[in-house]
Each structure stands twice: as C-alpha cells, then as structure tokens.
Amino acid sequence: MSTIETPADRPVRRIRRMAERQTTDRGALFELLDGELVGHLAAVADGVPIVVPMGYARIGEAIYVHGSTGGGFALRAAAERATVAFSVTALDGLVYARSLFDSSMNYRSAVAYGVLDEVGPDEADAALLALSERLMPGRSAEVRGMRRKEVAATRVLRIALDDVVMKSRAHGASEAVDDGEDHSQWAGVVPLERVWGEPQASGLTPAGTPLPESVRALTTRGARSRSIS
C-alpha cells in the first residue's frame, strides 16, 4: 500500500479524533479526488476566513483550480505565498443505528495544505483543457477553442499534494449482541448514489437538435455502471 508522502522536514499530520479512520493510501486519495467535481478552498484574507467552493481537477501530484484575473483572495494568497487549505468530501451513505447518538455517515474526505502556485502562460492552455475534460469529458472537441482574450482573463492555480490528510468511514451500524438495544428495530446503511438527470436544452437550441456525444456519454455512464453491477 502506497502512502501519502510529506516532505522530510514536515511531520505527518495526524487526526486526533477517531484516529483509526485516517487513511494514508495514495490510491484511495486519488480515487476520491478523481471521483468528485467540487472542492472548497479556504484562506485567510485581512484576518477573515474565507471558504469558496470551486470546480477542480487533479493532474498528477497537484490539484488545479481556475478563476478570473479579478479573482480576489485566491490570487492574493498566491502572491503572498500564504498557506491555504483545499478540501474534498464524498458522502457515501447514511448509517442508521438504534440510537441517534450512534448514527453516522459513511464518507471519504481529504484536506490538502500548502501554497497556491500560479500556472504560467506556457502551461495555461493545457491546464485549462485538463480542467474542462475533467468536468465535461469530450466537450472541448465539440465547441470552438478558447480565444486569447478569454485565456488572458483566466488564471489557473495549483496546490501540490505533498501535505494531505485523509479520513474515511466505510462501516455498518455500531452494534453488539449485548449492547442493550432493541434489535427488532432496523439498523443498517442507506448508500447514496448520484446520477445525472435528463439534459435540458437552452432556449436558443433548435428543437430536435441531437445531443452531443459528450452529453450522451455523461448521462448514460451511470446507467451502464449500474446495469453491469
């Protein structure tokens, strides 16, 4: 099992509460990051904490996000080399125990700490394409390319995955034969599944326009995976 590595001069971050739920498997980390679409970027600006949800993509050993040249706190944090945090969470199910106290969630979560690096012009096009392909696979081949002024108005930032802590729960309800609870009451897990809904055409899209392959692939992928399983 590979582990989440940290620089030699920095101690590994440890989870204090429910420490047994800490995960150091690099593959599990990548699976979480590659399976979600939205994370939360947190920083402190003028002494005030700010948290903003953002679409992102993992490319190799870093997380990439993008925003406007007027993007405010993120660009400021990058310029000041301030430490930020980027978190991603997947809710996998609700755990119904025989008491509200013991009820819980099954989840996977990770927080990356570090500084934001601005991607230079020589890498910006590739990074923006990777972000687009992560969020809307195949769409870039169906639409016009980005104009230079659009690229110029966009900034791509990345945070390295060299200081990460991950926590997860993937268990059933806590119970024991002699726990004193009424075992005639149902307990268990309700898994959470997410699927894309029916595509809705824009107002200026002519009636009868066929769905592009990128949209068709996205909306049928979940159905295919469920039928295979």
Side-chain angles (χ1 to χ4, degrees):
M1 179 178 69
S2 60
T3 59
I4 300 174
E5 299 176 354
T6 59
D9 60 349
R10 182 189 298 127
V12 177
R13 293 182 185 269
R14 298 295 183 188
I15 293 175
R16 296 181 180 179
R17 186 175 183 276
M18 302 288 188
E20 71 279 3
R21 295 183 183 176
Q22 181 164 0
T23 302
T24 59
D25 180 9
R26 198 72 169 178
L29 171 66
F30 289 171
E31 181 180 6
L32 167 62
L33 297 179
D34 295 347
E36 297 300 310
L37 298 176
V38 176
H40 289 80
L41 179 66
V44 176
D46 298 324
V48 178
I50 299 176
V51 180
V52 176
M54 292 185 170
Y56 72 92
R58 179 188 70 87
I59 306 174
E61 294 290 329
I63 289 174
Y64 287 70
V65 298
H66 74 90
S68 166
T69 52
F73 85 100
L75 290 178
R76 179 174 172 181
E80 296 176 351
R81 309 300 291 166
T83 299
V84 301
F86 191 85
S87 69
V88 177
T89 300
L91 176 62
D92 296 321
L94 294 178
V95 181
Y96 284 68
R98 294 186 176 88
S99 70
L100 294 180
F101 180 82
D102 289 326
S103 297
S104 186
M105 296 179 176
N106 280 343
Y107 63 90
R108 292 162 292 141
S109 65
V111 181
Y113 300 89
V115 296
L116 292 168
D117 292 310
E118 186 171 345
V119 173
D122 54 331
E123 301 177 69
D125 285 354
L128 287 171
L129 178 60
L131 278 162
S132 297
E133 284 299 304
R134 174 68 190 89
L135 298 172
M136 300 178 182
R139 186 58 170 165
S140 61
E142 299 169 344
V143 296
R144 66 166 177 81
M146 289 189 67
R147 299 188 174 108
R148 298 319 303 173
K149 66 177 182 180
E150 294 173 338
V151 175
T154 306
R155 291 293 181 268
V156 181
L157 303 170
R158 68 181 164 217
I159 180 171
L161 292 171
D162 57 11
D163 185 8
V164 185
V165 62
M166 182 175 177
K167 187 177 182 181
S168 64
R169 185 190 193 280
H171 304 293
S174 299
E175 61 182 358
V177 174
D178 57 353
D179 59 14
E181 301 289 351
D182 178 6
H183 290 175
S184 66
Q185 177 69 36
W186 188 91
V189 176
V190 180
L192 175 63
E193 295 184 359
R194 295 176 298 174
V195 297
W196 296 106
E198 188 70 21
Q200 300 173 3
S202 74
L204 294 181
T205 300
T209 300
L211 287 178
E213 181 56 33
S214 63
V215 174
R216 190 181 305 278
L218 181 70
T219 56
T220 58
R221 185 169 53 199
R224 286 202 308 269
S225 65
R226 287 196 303 277
S227 64
I228 292 173
S229 61

